[in-house]
Amino acid sequence: MDTIRIVDEINRDRRHFVGSAAMAVAATQLGMIGTAAAQRTEAKVPAIKPGTNTFFGPLKQIDAGVLNVGYAEASPANGPVVILLHGWPYDIYSFVDVAPLLASAGYRTIIPYLRGYGTTRFLSNETVRNGQPAALAVDLKDFLDALKIEKPILAGFDWGARNANIFAALWPERTRAMVSVSGYLIGNQEAGKMPLPPQAEYEWWYQFYFATDRGRAGYDKYRREFSKLIWQIASPKWNFDDATFNRSAAAFDNPDHVDIVIHNYRWRLGLAKGEPKFDDLENRLAAGPVITVPTITLEGDANGAPHPDPSAYAAKFTGKYAHRNITGGIGHNLPQEAPQAFAQAVLDVAAES
């Protein structure tokens, strides 16, 4: 069972988030839902053993912006919407246990593949294979528009948390609330050019490897071996089996995967250009905008990936906000390692929005 320890709660509106022991009834009207029916959320997410679920139903596809996006969906179709966003090198299976928990609580739960992953494809061979953060945020906006979803809850980790952060900062009117693993992850190229202390640079070794032609070729040739190594480093106490890894690793066979990953990390270091059409968004993000929507941030107690201390980003969340440390040897892939805690955070933040 996941153990939740709330280490910091910041009261922005003279109101507090509920803890994991109790929750108010949330009345919700989202997206294209035509009625004002109240949606009751459960106070406690039931205990679940990580790895209980191993598959989604049939995946769906939809044209959205420059992509045909592949995604999983858990009913009910008329419930309030939660979008779950994965990172690198992970995929939608990070949420395979989270999705049924949220669906059973009445939430329409949607898990899209990012560009370069799984069944998501570019509609044109001419489109730039761009991995810059603003491009991924626009992908999310286009995806919501295609599904006619107006104001979902966003929840993610790694690239997915950054994507949620960016979307919430740029379009708060389209974001009901957010759950973000490792907090505030909005960055910019100028900051990426600044050197860090040696130990911090060491933790980003793969970013520098990807900056070289050898690194690109190596990731392309050994993408599964490389990704498994990252899983092991980032979650040193997670004893995942080959079947668990292989389910996700299939997503890395996407023909655009290597291009997107390499461009993303080179862009962060200022070694690759973005597309001019995203310049205005990137300029806004470079200012480090605050996030005003209700937010819960999470951190695993055994996260082996680079991540900021919660005290460094708390002031970036100016709406209702709480931070939770998730104990029990939980690493970087928090929703897959601690699905109960992740789902509980989604229900709790929904009750406050």
Side-chain angles (χ1 to χ4, degrees):
M1 182 182 298
D2 307 325
T3 302
I4 304 175
R5 180 166 60 92
I6 301 177
V7 297
D8 184 31
E9 295 224 5
I10 300 176
N11 180 5
R12 302 295 185 192
D13 297 298
R14 291 194 291 268
R15 296 170 60 190
H16 290 278
F17 278 120
V18 292
S20 62
M23 179 182 291
V25 174
T28 309
Q29 183 177 358
L30 292 178
M32 302 301 291
I33 299 172
T35 69
Q39 193 78 25
R40 187 184 186 280
T41 58
E42 296 296 326
K44 290 280 287 184
V45 171
I48 185 171
K49 180 181 178 181
T52 295
N53 298 287
T54 59
F55 63 91
F56 292 102
L59 297 183
K60 300 180 179 182
Q61 301 286 144
I62 191 169
D63 287 350
V66 300
L67 301 173
N68 177 262
V69 179
Y71 65 101
E73 181 171 354
S75 58
N78 64 343
V81 181
V82 178
I83 307 293
L84 302 178
L85 301 167
H86 71 82
W88 172 86
Y90 306 94
D91 84 323
I92 65 174
Y93 280 93
S94 289
F95 303 103
V96 71
D97 285 324
V98 172
L101 294 174
L102 296 177
S104 67
Y107 286 82
R108 181 186 179 193
T109 305
I110 298 173
I111 314 101
Y113 279 114
L114 297 178
R115 58 169 61 191
Y117 293 78
T119 61
T120 291
R121 296 290 189 273
F122 286 91
L123 293 172
S124 170
N125 291 330
E126 304 303 315
T127 303
V128 177
R129 271 39 177 179
N130 179 358
Q132 76 181 107
L136 272 65
V138 171
D139 287 348
L140 176 56
K141 187 172 184 289
D142 290 338
F143 179 65
L144 296 180
D145 290 344
L147 289 175
K148 296 181 170 57
I149 295 170
E150 183 60 30
K151 196 171 184 180
I153 297 167
L154 304 177
F157 75 106
D158 196 83
W159 287 23
R162 180 176 296 106
N163 205 4
N165 289 180
I166 290 172
F167 191 94
L170 293 176
W171 299 292
E173 72 282 359
R174 296 288 303 273
T175 311
R176 177 181 167 190
M178 182 175 64
V179 172
S180 177
V181 176
S182 297
Y184 185 91
L185 299 176
I186 297 174
N188 60 80
Q189 284 189 314
E190 290 306 311
K193 295 176 183 178
M194 299 299 293
L196 300 173
Q199 182 61 39
E201 298 282 35
Y202 169 74
E203 293 175 353
W204 288 104
W205 63 271
Y206 55 87
Q207 184 169 248
F208 305 116
Y209 181 64
F210 288 162
T212 68
D213 290 341
R214 178 188 176 115
R216 190 197 186 284
Y219 185 60
D220 191 11
K221 183 176 181 178
Y222 299 109
R223 64 183 78 178
R224 292 198 177 211
E225 295 88 343
F226 197 101
S227 297
K228 181 176 281 189
L229 176 62
I230 296 295
W231 279 36
Q232 293 165 340
I233 293 171
S235 299
K237 297 185 178 182
W238 181 32
N239 295 316
F240 60 88
D241 58 22
D242 287 343
T244 298
F245 175 76
N246 289 334
R247 276 190 293 273
S248 288
F252 314 147
D253 294 333
N254 183 294
D256 302 305
H257 178 73
V258 174
D259 286 340
I260 295 301
V261 171
I262 297 302
H263 184 268
N264 178 280
Y265 285 105
R266 290 183 179 180
W267 182 92
R268 294 193 205 184
L269 293 175
L271 301 176
K273 294 182 179 180
E275 292 179 84
K277 65 181 179 179
F278 299 120
D279 286 351
D280 178 62
L281 297 181
E282 294 293 358
N283 288 336
R284 291 167 61 187
L285 295 171
V290 298
I291 293 174
T292 59
V293 304
T295 299
I296 292 177
T297 57
L298 305 172
E299 191 61 79
D301 65 342
N303 186 358
H307 59 279
D309 186 271
S311 63
Y313 55 69
K316 287 295 187 179
F317 300 98
T318 59
K320 289 175 282 187
Y321 171 64
H323 176 77
R324 297 175 178 177
N325 266 4
I326 312 303
T327 61
I330 304 304
H332 190 61
N333 187 4
L334 194 149
Q336 196 161 5
E337 298 175 59
Q340 181 189 1
F342 190 89
Q344 186 68 60
V346 173
L347 297 190
D348 289 350
V349 82
E352 290 297 314
S353 60

